[in-house]
Amino acid sequence: MPSSVQRKRVRKSPAARRAEIVDAAATIALTEGLECITLRRIAEELDVRPGLISHYFPSAEELVAEAFGCAASTELDTLLPEERPDGSPARYLARFFALATGAPYDDVSRLWINARHLSRYRPALRERVAVQEASWRERLAGLLRDGVRDDEFRTDNPLLTAIHILVILDGLGSHANTGTVDRPDAVARMAVTAAERELGLEGGVLG
């Protein structure tokens, strides 16, 4: 005999519900693109009414900006953790390159390409892109400063070196939308090679 007791929907706190909405939108941003984020689409993903989504995000533009910020921040914390208890700055920099130049990072590269393109027309997203770019520059520069302090790296301008590295990674990442690119090893290692040169390291140390 079927049960006559109806399963009650769990009522989530506003903070938890908002985080759930942003997480769903960030997942779509990474896998399908920021253009695919609409209030109706997120409602369908979460099996709720569109009105609930619009309660937290009155416009899709706000949700798109928040989704990008969430995805970019999550990747930054994965690639360059703020707390580094296990190992030297050089070890964390080598880890950063290993993660940022691998195939799994292609979705993030596509997201940045997508966001920078759309930000030309969307002020909220443009502001969030600028905030994330600054966060990534400062996080990497902070790692380089720690390496200089510990006498592992040699550079007079850690911020400029960080920008140099990120610009090269952006250039390499621009091929993410074209599928598999047959790159010579020297090209694939351009960011690592530049970092070793700019930081006064022997070739191969960060490999």
Side-chain angles (χ1 to χ4, degrees):
M1 176 181 292
S3 173
S4 61
V5 179
Q6 294 184 347
R7 183 174 298 174
K8 293 183 178 180
R9 184 183 293 272
V10 177
R11 188 177 184 85
K12 298 182 179 180
S13 70
R17 178 64 77 183
R18 190 179 192 280
E20 180 183 52
I21 292 169
V22 173
D23 285 346
T27 298
I28 290 174
L30 279 167
T31 57
E32 301 178 36
L34 293 165
E35 298 95 334
C36 294
I37 296 174
T38 65
L39 302 185
R40 183 173 296 279
R41 173 66 189 283
I42 302 304
E44 291 173 354
E45 288 291 320
L46 298 178
D47 193 24
V48 298
R49 294 179 179 177
L52 178 64
I53 309 300
S54 63
H55 173 74
Y56 290 93
F57 295 94
S59 75
E61 299 303 314
E62 296 176 43
L63 182 53
V64 166
E66 191 71 15
F68 168 73
C70 175
S73 293
T74 298
E75 290 305 320
L76 175 58
D77 289 336
T78 299
L79 297 176
L80 287 169
E82 198 162 12
E83 300 295 328
R84 303 187 299 271
D86 305 317
S88 66
R91 177 181 175 185
Y92 275 96
L93 185 58
R95 174 184 178 277
F96 166 71
F97 282 123
L99 295 175
T101 56
Y105 188 68
D106 282 351
D107 281 345
V108 183
S109 296
R110 293 187 186 96
L111 177 65
W112 275 97
I113 294 169
N114 190 201
R116 284 173 171 143
H117 171 68
L118 292 181
S119 69
R120 296 173 59 195
Y121 319 104
R122 304 186 181 191
L125 180 58
R126 182 164 61 246
E127 180 180 350
R128 192 57 61 90
V129 168
V131 168
Q132 286 298 322
E133 286 177 337
S135 295
W136 282 61
R137 286 194 302 266
E138 186 51 41
R139 186 73 64 85
L140 181 54
L143 175 61
L144 301 187
R145 290 189 193 102
D146 288 348
V148 171
R149 179 201 62 202
D150 294 348
D151 201 29
E152 288 191 315
F153 305 149
R154 293 190 298 278
T155 176
D156 294 329
N157 194 330
L159 179 58
L160 184 61
T161 302
I163 293 172
H164 188 167
I165 292 169
L166 291 173
V167 166
I168 295 174
L169 287 174
D170 279 345
L172 294 172
S174 67
H175 296 286
N177 282 337
T178 62
T180 303
V181 177
D182 185 16
R183 294 182 186 139
D185 185 60
V187 174
R189 286 182 44 82
M190 284 180 76
V192 177
T193 301
E196 291 169 342
R197 182 180 64 248
E198 295 296 319
L199 296 172
L201 301 172
E202 293 184 7
V205 168
L206 296 177

